[in-house]
Amino acid sequence: MVDTQFKNPLLKAFLDELEHLELYQQYCKSPNEWLKKLIDERFMQFYIRIRAISYFSKIIYFTARHFDMERRKYEKRYVLTLDGSSSDGNGSKKEGTSTLKELIVDESATVHFPDKLNDELNQYIQHPLLYKAVQSLNKRQQQILFLAYVLNISDTEISKKLNVTQQAISKSKNNALAKVRRLINA
């Protein structure tokens, strides 16, 4: 082990290598000029190796920082079309807008509503009279009621989802509810 008399971390690291420690201990037992030169020579080799490692580490660090800085500058200067922010028709950016890439709809991730409508709607209706009344509605009305009351989506969001006006959704929903009330009360 390294003697505690050495406080210099470089000397401690040098003597942590078994070969160097043995040479040092041999020199302490019988000091001679040949061992002293050998230890000095090995220490110089060790020191040069440490300096080279330090030098290359610094070069790598500063080159990486410079590369990152240049890459960010390039990305800021040459924004990809899809990375640009969406804007209204006048070219002015809206507050809270997202990038064009975020506006792309993944068709594979969306569930086609008509395929799932009957199964999901049946799960939520327990009363037999209400179930029968809802089944008498057309698919569009069932879809609107499902979105509005089961998924708790606003009329505006439903209109965007179904590509119709908000007024048409409101009217269709009110007609469906009126028809359900009529059938339950009859």
Side-chain angles (χ1 to χ4, degrees):
M1 274 283 140
V2 180
D3 294 335
T4 56
Q5 66 188 9
F6 296 110
K7 296 189 192 253
N8 186 326
L10 190 60
L11 287 176
K12 285 182 182 180
F14 175 73
L15 293 176
D16 278 344
E17 294 183 18
L18 186 62
E19 181 184 346
H20 300 152
L21 181 62
E22 288 174 355
L23 278 174
Y24 174 71
Q25 288 173 342
Q26 197 176 18
Y27 178 78
C28 287
K29 288 179 186 171
S30 59
N32 63 44
E33 196 60 34
W34 179 80
L35 276 175
K36 183 181 176 193
K37 282 185 180 180
L38 185 60
I39 291 173
D40 284 345
E41 199 175 282
R42 297 276 170 88
F43 182 76
M44 286 305 291
Q45 291 171 354
F46 176 79
Y47 181 71
I48 290 170
R49 188 175 74 219
I50 295 297
R51 292 280 308 248
I53 291 171
S54 173
Y55 174 75
F56 288 121
S57 295
K58 287 177 184 174
I59 285 179
I60 291 169
Y61 172 77
F62 286 109
T63 302
R65 282 192 59 188
H66 178 73
F67 175 79
D68 187 52
M69 217 168 49
E70 290 296 317
R71 182 185 53 83
R72 287 180 192 209
K73 189 187 326 178
Y74 179 83
E75 287 175 357
K76 191 174 183 181
R77 192 175 293 159
Y78 303 106
V79 177
L80 295 175
T81 303
L82 292 178
D83 287 337
S85 62
S86 60
S87 61
D88 60 11
N90 304 328
S92 62
K93 293 183 180 179
K94 297 178 188 174
E95 187 173 316
T97 58
S98 55
T99 63
L100 294 172
K101 184 172 34 177
E102 293 168 345
L103 297 176
I104 297 174
V105 177
D106 183 8
E107 293 296 328
S108 65
T110 59
V111 176
H112 295 287
F113 188 76
D115 300 339
K116 294 263 203 186
L117 179 65
N118 291 333
D119 296 335
E120 291 182 13
L121 206 51
N122 289 340
Q123 292 176 353
Y124 293 98
I125 300 175
Q126 295 176 354
H127 193 275
L129 194 57
L130 179 60
Y131 178 78
K132 189 174 183 180
V134 169
Q135 290 301 314
S136 70
L137 298 174
N138 64 35
K139 293 291 181 191
R140 179 83 161 187
Q141 290 173 327
Q142 288 179 13
Q143 184 180 19
I144 291 170
L145 289 180
F146 178 80
L147 292 170
Y149 294 107
V150 175
L151 299 181
N152 200 23
I153 299 176
S154 70
D155 289 354
T156 307
E157 291 171 341
I158 294 172
S159 69
K160 288 178 184 175
K161 187 175 190 111
L162 300 179
N163 292 325
V164 294
T165 64
Q166 186 267 332
Q167 292 82 2
I169 296 297
S170 181
K171 183 178 178 182
S172 182
K173 184 171 73 171
N174 290 336
N175 289 341
L177 291 174
K179 185 174 181 181
V180 168
R181 277 190 210 106
R182 247 189 348 264
L183 291 171
I184 289 175
N185 292 333

